[in-house]
Amino acid sequence: MLFSGATEADVLAARAALPRRTRIVVLVDDDARAELVAAVLTAGADVCVRGGLPAILASHLVACRRRQLADRWTNLSESRPQG
């Protein structure tokens, strides 16, 4: 889950509503105060990123997830016993 400009309350609500395995990524402004970064992380965000465009970060996260899944499939076929 990617939040742009989320607050501590947003993260708390998302963490309460979403399955625990859901990763929460918060994108804050370049000049966001350290207190906001600490608050969203303490509230349950897995990652807090300063600056950037939400679409670019979202695309990067999707690409990372695709690579993880591709690696899993590759490792699965490599670990299969040969007949």
Side-chain angles (χ1 to χ4, degrees):
M1 173 72 64
L2 173 62
F3 283 104
S4 179
T7 64
E8 178 182 6
D10 296 328
V11 175
L12 285 169
R15 188 50 74 202
L18 297 169
R20 185 68 199 152
R21 69 178 188 275
T22 302
R23 302 275 185 206
I24 296 178
V25 178
V26 176
L27 179 62
V28 296
D29 292 332
D30 285 333
D31 58 352
R33 296 178 50 98
E35 292 82 6
L36 174 61
V37 174
V40 296
L41 291 170
T42 302
D46 296 292
V47 178
C48 184
V49 178
R50 286 182 186 230
L53 298 173
I56 292 172
L57 181 55
S59 297
H60 174 72
L61 294 172
V62 168
C64 288
R65 181 67 179 148
R66 285 184 183 151
R67 279 193 295 277
Q68 285 177 337
L69 292 174
D71 288 345
R72 236 184 250 168
W73 281 106
T74 300
N75 293 335
L76 180 65
S77 61
E78 288 175 358
S79 66
R80 226 173 85 197
Q82 299 297 319

